[in-house]
Amino acid sequence: MTSMLKQNTLFTQTSRAMLFSLGVNHKSAPVGIRERIVFAPDRMDEALGGLQRATPVDEAAILSTCNRTEIYFRSEASHPDRKVLQWLGEYHRLKPDEIQPYLYRHTQDDAVRHLLRVACGLDSLVLGEPQILGQLKEAYQSAGNSGTLGRQLGRLFQHAFSVAKNVRTSTAIGSSPVSVAFAAVSLARQIWGDMRPLTAMMIGAGETIELAARHLHSHQVGHIIVANRTVERARPLADQFGAEIITLPAIPSRLPEADILISSTASPLPILGKGAVERALKARKRRPMFMVDIAVPRDIEPEVGSMENIYLYTVDDLEDVIQENLQSRREAARQAEEIIEAQVHSFMGWLRAQNAVGTIRAFRDKAHGVQIEVLDKALGMIEHGKTPEEALTFLAHTLTNKLLHDPCHRLNESARDGKLHLIEAAQTLFDLPGSDKPTDKFGS
């Protein structure tokens, strides 16, 4: 940890445009720090504009979630990360020293690698989770709308989205559930298949129940009933998913409707007994019921699991599924890291190629100028009575001489000065055979 913090305080000097990422996440900072530097979505445009005005940054994007706040930027200045850190502290009314111990910072290929790992879910609290990709796309959209997303950073984000899609389709990184709620809903889908005709009863209104309801809603379950001790506590959860609210005493009368039941309360005693389930099964004409008891201590009497047409899973049953799936994701993550490494090299190759763009454009402009000049003279020769053959001969000879004059002159100078690396570079640039050895016209 000490070495990591020491590394975080190092700021290297740059003399050319570089890509940076700077931020904190669930591994580097406690929630008390993370919550103090979150950027509100409705103020992202203002934040990006302020960042660009206050720092020597010419491209920027901000990713801000409950688990991470990261700033991706491009700059040609020296120590731009110091300025960005100072702005980050001022924006959130914090001293840089309060943030810096938890900060990580990456430049160039390390920054590219970090973004690709984030996009693929390899840097997430839950390995391989897909939500981060959507959050990255929102960050990309916000930066685009704010005008802070330039050619290089824009290309990097698009590359990250492409790599994440490749990793999702070519590995099993996201195919296995690794949360209790996700595992519960995945098992329900295996048993029932189509969720649209089904009714799910959720007992409790805590975080796990909310996550399970979210997964059920995303799979288009037909109806959700939230049963809780108080209606007020269940209201925010029910409003999110258009669910119906009932109190705990109403559970036995509504239980026959439940094809899926997921329970997670803090009750010290079971909420659902064998007798109530037997009556519900009779009313359902023995149609199966899928039940998940996530609570500790248990909400559903263990004897219920031995009943015919009841599929009851406890948190321990799900933990076995999760551990097996986590191992599957770890193996997929190793494959994903190999893909990412290859794609880092690919992007850095594109980035390095941008250094030649100005030179190539200038070379083409110069050649085009020579072409126009010589062509005008050739056309003038025809107007003054010269034959087309004479004009074409002049055009070819003069154009060749003008295009070759400067390179040949520089090559002669290089040879005289012993700059043989320029001779070798010319052979590569113009695809020439090695011919820099002196010629002995008198023989040996």
Side-chain angles (χ1 to χ4, degrees):
M1 183 69 175
T2 303
S3 61
M4 183 190 75
L5 296 181
K6 184 177 180 181
Q7 183 181 3
N8 287 340
T9 63
L10 297 177
F11 293 90
T12 56
Q13 188 171 4
T14 62
S15 59
R16 59 187 177 84
M18 295 181 70
L19 293 173
F20 294 80
S21 64
L22 179 149
V24 301
N25 65 10
H26 59 282
K27 291 182 286 188
S28 73
V31 66
I33 294 294
R34 299 200 308 273
E35 66 186 4
R36 297 176 72 185
I37 56 175
V38 168
F39 289 87
D42 58 352
R43 298 186 62 190
M44 190 61 77
D45 184 71
E46 169 198 321
L48 286 164
L51 170 63
Q52 201 165 48
R53 287 190 298 272
T55 66
V57 164
D58 50 27
E59 298 183 39
I62 298 175
L63 171 65
S64 189
T65 73
C66 58
N67 284 328
R68 69 179 67 243
T69 290
E70 295 177 339
I71 304 174
Y72 295 87
F73 58 97
R74 175 188 180 274
S75 177
E76 297 183 5
S78 298
H79 307 305
D81 37 8
R82 290 180 176 176
K83 296 291 186 181
V84 171
L85 174 58
Q86 181 180 347
W87 170 83
L88 180 64
E90 290 174 354
Y91 185 89
H92 291 289
R93 295 181 174 84
L94 293 169
K95 296 178 181 178
D97 290 347
E98 294 181 79
I99 308 171
Q100 188 163 299
Y102 307 100
L103 196 73
Y104 48 82
R105 169 190 170 281
H106 305 289
T107 58
Q108 290 294 83
D109 54 339
D110 287 335
V112 173
R113 184 178 295 105
H114 180 72
L115 179 59
L116 299 193
R117 295 188 78 253
V118 169
C120 295
L122 299 187
D123 196 56
S124 296
L125 180 62
V126 177
L127 181 65
E129 59 90 8
Q131 286 83 7
I132 188 63
L133 184 59
Q135 292 164 334
L136 264 177
K137 289 181 178 179
E138 290 173 5
Y140 171 80
Q141 188 68 43
S142 295
N145 293 341
S146 300
T148 62
L149 198 67
R151 174 179 171 80
Q152 292 189 9
L153 204 58
R155 176 68 174 259
L156 175 57
F157 270 75
Q158 291 170 4
H159 190 66
F161 302 151
S162 176
V163 172
K165 182 179 179 181
N166 182 15
V167 166
R168 291 272 163 196
T169 55
S170 60
T171 74
I173 190 70
S175 62
S176 306
V178 290
S179 72
V180 169
F182 193 5
V185 175
S186 296
L187 285 172
R189 291 184 64 210
Q190 290 177 27
I191 291 171
W192 290 106
D194 186 6
M195 307 281 275
R196 287 172 295 184
L198 305 181
T199 293
M201 179 178 289
M202 321 296 288
I203 304 178
E207 183 179 343
T208 302
I209 288 294
E210 179 180 353
L211 188 55
R214 188 177 306 281
H215 289 311
L216 286 167
H217 184 71
S218 69
H219 291 297
Q220 299 180 312
V221 71
H223 183 53
I224 297 176
I225 300 171
V226 178
N228 196 55
R229 199 172 305 279
T230 64
V231 172
E232 292 76 16
R233 174 74 175 82
R235 180 71 62 192
L237 171 62
D239 289 346
Q240 284 187 67
F241 310 110
E244 179 185 358
I245 304 174
I246 63 173
T247 57
L248 297 185
I251 290 176
S253 63
R254 303 296 301 274
L255 193 58
E257 301 173 42
D259 304 295
I260 299 168
L261 185 143
I262 300 176
S263 185
S264 179
T265 76
S267 173
L269 297 173
I271 289 175
L272 202 57
K274 187 177 180 181
V277 177
E278 284 178 337
R279 290 190 291 273
L281 275 176
K282 184 176 181 181
R284 288 173 60 85
K285 297 182 169 55
R286 317 308 295 180
R287 283 187 298 117
M289 298 177 72
F290 172 78
M291 298 182 172
V292 180
D293 187 355
I294 302 172
V296 179
R298 285 178 281 188
D299 283 340
I300 303 173
E301 289 183 347
E303 293 78 11
V304 171
S306 63
M307 297 172 60
E308 190 175 356
N309 295 321
I310 294 293
Y311 299 88
L312 174 61
Y313 290 83
T314 67
V315 68
D316 288 343
D317 298 324
L318 295 181
E319 186 63 28
D320 292 339
V321 173
I322 290 168
Q323 288 304 317
E324 182 180 339
N325 291 343
L326 268 176
Q327 183 56 36
S328 172
R329 285 200 178 192
R330 291 188 190 104
E331 292 172 3
R334 285 191 284 272
Q335 300 172 25
E337 295 283 11
E338 294 176 4
I339 294 172
I340 287 172
E341 203 58 37
Q343 292 301 324
V344 168
H345 290 303
S346 173
F347 182 82
M348 292 307 296
W350 176 84
L351 197 60
R352 285 189 294 270
Q354 304 314 295
N355 294 326
V357 168
T359 301
I360 292 171
R361 184 178 295 116
F363 184 53
R364 286 185 173 275
D365 289 347
K366 181 177 180 180
H368 185 62
V370 172
Q371 170 196 321
I372 293 173
E373 176 191 346
V374 178
L375 180 59
D376 286 345
K377 289 182 179 178
L379 292 173
M381 290 173 64
I382 294 175
E383 290 177 0
H384 288 86
K386 297 291 185 181
T387 66
E389 289 80 3
E390 290 176 309
L392 283 174
T393 300
F394 168 82
L395 176 67
H397 178 76
T398 306
L399 187 59
T400 301
N401 281 343
K402 282 184 172 290
L403 290 176
L404 293 181
H405 176 268
D406 287 343
C408 289
H409 178 66
R410 296 290 181 267
L411 285 171
N412 273 322
E413 282 186 342
S414 300
R416 284 196 300 269
D417 296 340
K419 298 177 181 177
L420 299 182
H421 63 284
L422 292 179
I423 307 294
E424 294 172 357
Q427 290 169 1
T428 301
L429 284 171
F430 300 114
D431 194 20
L432 303 175
S435 57
D436 54 335
K437 294 182 180 179
T439 302
D440 184 356
K441 63 182 179 180
F442 298 106
S444 56

